[in-house]
Amino acid sequence: MNGTMAASSHRVTLGPLVAAIDQGTSSTRFLVFNSKTAELLSHHQVELKQSFPKEGWVEEDPKEILQSVYECMERTCEKLTQLNIDISNIKAIGVTNQRETTLVWDKETGEPLYNAIVWLDLRTQSTVERLINKTPGRNKNHLKHKTGLPISTYFSAVKLRWLMDNVDEVHQAVVSHRAMFGTVDSWLIWCLTGGKSGGVHCTDVTNASRTMLFNIHTLDWDPELFHFLNWSLFLLLQKSGALSGIPISGCLGDQSAALVGQMCFQDGQAKNTTFCTLCLLCLQPVMSDHGLLTTVAYQLGRDKPACYALEGSVAIAGAVVRWLRDNLGIIGSSEELEKLAASVGTSYGCYFVPAFSGLYAPYWEPSARGIICGLTQFTNKSHVAFAALEAVCFQTREILDAMNQDSGIPLTQLQVDGGMTSNKLLMQLQADILCIPVVKPSMPETTALGAAMAAGAAEGVSVWSLSPEDLSAVTSEKFEPQINPDESEFRYARWKRAVQKSMNWETTEPVGNGETSIFSSIPLGFYIMGSMLMLVGAKYLAGQRGFFCCAQILKHFRSCVCTLFR
């Protein structure tokens, strides 16, 4: 009896709880917070599989994504029960998600029509080039005045265009008006609120603003953008949910959720999550002249004004760790990377540009590919590990330089969060390369916290106050720069040279079946050498007649080379 009373008393002191679904590129989590203290009470995480059907293609299974959400919710509730915390005290659920990743499903059967095409997938490069070619002056920024975005493989619209053009099931469902399109948030909310039995098909402005179909000034879908892509509007979702009686009352793309979770509510504040950086600019969108994106930061209420941000997106940051582990096998876990790099404390002149999916901000160069340069006989795997960590920091430096130029508000410190912040060597390197302090909150789950805050503050829920005086103080750890600024500048300049070396490695000249030409994947020198060897062989095998044959072949070969270079 006394134990029961104590447990009951404990539940009362907790106050209202708010949960968050945090669905990321590599894993899914479900977390529960105390709305009065922002304390994380319990969570569960499930890692996701990615598939790579072809070079540059990245996919995930929509059903696996959904199942991971169910599993995380169930396990977290079990943990809360073990802690004597009453799960009926959860008053709302927020959703935050990997943005731009694109899904299409059948609204009648509820079945996905294809795998989710992940945000860093490159298959749409030829689609992007066709779109750019039809703009005046072949301008990749042709739509930027409305969308804040360049025409790029990164965004959802071109992924959807590819699905409609290349997947028969999607095309047929579109023709028969059975297709539903969405980013990951819309797929989850639709499934969790009933699916084919009346599920809510919706998104929020932060995810909508990453589709390349959304006007960030009017905060609505734009018919001109649809016309540019030769679509009708019927596929689209509404911008605006319940799970066992608990409302889904908040939705934010992952980077926007982290901005809220870091409590960035003032002009000029910036945060860095998984090394994608946002600088809050509040009520007026600013178009970048230095390769950044203009995006909707958040809109915390239907009748509240939208706030805007400049964003620098890095294609490969945390994924570098996964690549070193799974592809090269030089580490067994992410924790090993820090130990390996710390064992040498330098890259010894080795520079790693992880442009596996091209370069995003500030270059937007899809032809780039990853390189490791500056190697010597002394270089070993520890130096490569250190160079990989430095690469993450150098990419952030490039983005912050662009932000300082665009916003006119030089940053005095950078707030960071996400899984990589557990690496203290990385945090110190980031401070050294930026030459400003890096501040890491003691509770790193700020993305999920932001989604929970938005859900708890929603109209009709109102269990979480976003007023500055009511926000809980956040304890943090600060990393101060420890190297000479001249050394930082020297290393950064060499990084910039390495970036230039990574560019123009790939071309995408589509042939009839949508694949790229052989000339884009086989070095021309190899092709020429092979052809000349065939000519020499023909000479010795066929004698004088062979010279005639070779002359004819050589004539044809020259014609091919001339055509190639045209």
Side-chain angles (χ1 to χ4, degrees), residues 392-456:
V392 174
C393 302
F394 286 132
Q395 291 178 96
T396 303
R397 167 73 186 269
E398 288 187 308
I399 289 167
L400 290 192
D401 282 357
M403 282 185 175
N404 287 339
Q405 294 177 72
D406 278 327
S407 68
I409 309 172
L411 291 173
T412 57
Q413 67 176 30
L414 180 67
Q415 296 169 240
V416 297
D417 58 83
M420 294 192 79
T421 60
S422 62
N423 187 321
K424 292 194 173 186
L425 174 61
L426 176 64
M427 296 297 95
Q428 186 57 56
L429 280 173
Q430 188 67 87
D432 291 344
I433 290 167
L434 294 179
C435 301
I436 59 173
V438 168
V439 180
K440 168 195 166 186
S442 56
M443 201 286 290
E445 304 294 350
T446 54
T447 301
L449 176 61
M453 290 167 66

Side-chain angles (χ1 to χ4, degrees), residues 20 45 72 81 93 97 119 126 296 354 373 417 542 550:
Q45 179 173 353
C72 286
T81 301
I93 297 173
N97 58 287
W119 54 273
S126 59
V296 179
C373 57
D417 58 83
C550 288

Side-chain angles (χ1 to χ4, degrees), residues 79-98:
K79 293 176 182 179
L80 289 171
T81 301
Q82 290 168 5
L83 293 169
N84 260 341
I85 297 173
D86 188 355
I87 61 174
S88 68
N89 227 12
I90 299 174
K91 303 303 180 185
I93 297 173
V95 175
T96 183
N97 58 287
Q98 52 172 311

Side-chain angles (χ1 to χ4, degrees), residues 17 60 111 132 178 186 220 321 335 351 363 403 430 468:
L17 311 181
E60 292 180 347
E111 292 293 311
I132 292 173
R178 292 181 291 108
S186 353
D220 208 347
V321 181
E335 292 76 20
Y351 287 83
Y363 300 100
M403 282 185 175
Q430 188 67 87

Side-chain angles (χ1 to χ4, degrees), residues 460-516:
V461 179
S462 301
V463 297
W464 204 312
S465 173
L466 299 184
S467 299
E469 63 272 15
D470 295 331
L471 294 173
S472 303
V474 177
T475 57
S476 59
E477 182 177 3
K478 182 179 283 191
F479 296 83
E480 298 280 357
Q482 293 182 354
I483 66 171
N484 187 300
D486 290 340
E487 181 185 345
S488 175
E489 292 301 321
F490 174 77
R491 285 156 63 180
Y492 182 49
R494 297 191 79 178
W495 157 265
K496 300 280 277 187
R497 286 174 56 196
V499 169
Q500 293 302 316
K501 301 288 186 186
S502 76
M503 294 188 186
N504 301 311
W505 280 84
E506 284 292 327
T507 59
T508 51
E509 298 176 11
V511 292
N513 62 357
E515 300 292 336
T516 55

Side-chain angles (χ1 to χ4, degrees), residues 25 319 548:
T25 311
F548 174 78

Side-chain angles (χ1 to χ4, degrees), residues 27-302:
S27 69
T28 298
R29 287 176 289 183
F30 187 74
L31 308 93
V32 177
F33 297 90
N34 184 331
S35 67
K36 300 304 179 186
T37 64
E39 178 190 0
L40 174 61
L41 300 175
S42 186
H43 75 284
H44 189 76
Q45 179 173 353
V46 172
E47 191 165 322
L48 291 174
K49 296 176 185 175
Q50 291 181 343
S51 59
F52 308 93
K54 296 183 182 180
E55 183 182 353
W57 291 30
V58 189
E59 298 178 359
E60 292 180 347
D61 182 350
K63 288 186 174 180
E64 182 189 351
I65 292 173
L66 179 62
Q67 185 55 44
S68 71
V69 172
Y70 287 135
E71 181 179 343
C72 286
M73 295 174 76
E74 184 177 336
R75 295 290 178 266
T76 302
C77 288
E78 289 175 359
K79 293 176 182 179
L80 289 171
T81 301
Q82 290 168 5
L83 293 169
N84 260 341
I85 297 173
D86 188 355
I87 61 174
S88 68
N89 227 12
I90 299 174
K91 303 303 180 185
I93 297 173
V95 175
T96 183
N97 58 287
Q98 52 172 311
R99 302 169 303 167
E100 300 97 13
T101 296
T102 302
L103 303 91
V104 180
W105 64 95
D106 189 314
K107 68 180 180 182
E108 295 180 3
T109 66
E111 292 293 311
L113 297 171
Y114 193 78
N115 275 344
I117 300 181
V118 177
W119 54 273
L120 51 75
D121 185 283
L122 286 177
R123 76 187 68 191
T124 57
Q125 185 54 39
S126 59
T127 304
V128 166
E129 290 178 358
R130 284 197 300 271
L131 291 172
I132 292 173
N133 286 339
K134 74 177 191 177
T135 66
R138 300 189 73 253
N139 180 13
K140 66 182 177 185
N141 292 319
H142 179 67
L143 306 176
K144 194 171 183 178
H145 67 289
K146 288 194 170 191
T147 64
L149 314 172
I151 301 171
S152 165
T153 59
Y154 188 16
F155 306 111
S156 306
V158 291
K159 303 181 196 304
L160 180 56
R161 179 76 266 171
W162 186 92
L163 286 165
M164 293 165 67
D165 292 341
N166 293 277
V167 180
D168 187 58
E169 291 86 349
V170 172
H171 176 75
Q172 294 300 326
V174 169
V175 169
S176 59
H177 290 211
R178 292 181 291 108
M180 279 187 161
F181 152 70
T183 41
V184 171
D185 58 307
S186 353
W187 164 244
L188 294 179
I189 292 172
W190 186 80
C191 292
L192 293 172
T193 57
K196 62 182 180 180
S197 303
V200 178
H201 189 211
C202 66
T203 190
D204 80 302
V205 292
T206 68
N207 280 291
S209 69
R210 312 296 292 190
T211 61
M212 218 169 73
L213 299 168
F214 188 75
N215 188 316
I216 62 173
H217 303 281
T218 64
L219 300 179
D220 208 347
W221 306 114
D222 194 303
E224 182 183 325
L225 298 173
F226 279 80
H227 178 72
F228 180 77
L229 288 153
N230 298 319
W231 297 349
S232 64
L233 284 159
F234 73 86
L235 269 175
L236 272 191
L237 30 80
Q238 300 298 313
K239 305 182 309 296
S240 4
L243 177 62
S244 300
I246 302 172
I248 299 174
S249 56
C251 180
L252 292 165
D254 51 7
Q255 301 300 332
S256 294
L259 202 63
V260 174
Q262 287 270 28
M263 302 176 194
C264 294
F265 298 124
Q266 303 297 321
D267 287 23
Q269 288 183 293
K271 68 91 215 166
N272 183 286
T273 303
T274 317
F275 293 81
C276 174
T277 305
L278 269 76
C279 176
L280 186 65
L281 298 170
C282 281
L283 302 181
Q284 295 300 322
V286 173
M287 294 300 159
S288 173
D289 294 321
H290 299 92
L292 302 179
L293 309 176
T294 304
T295 195
V296 179
Y298 46 73
Q299 185 182 23
L300 300 176
R302 186 173 299 173

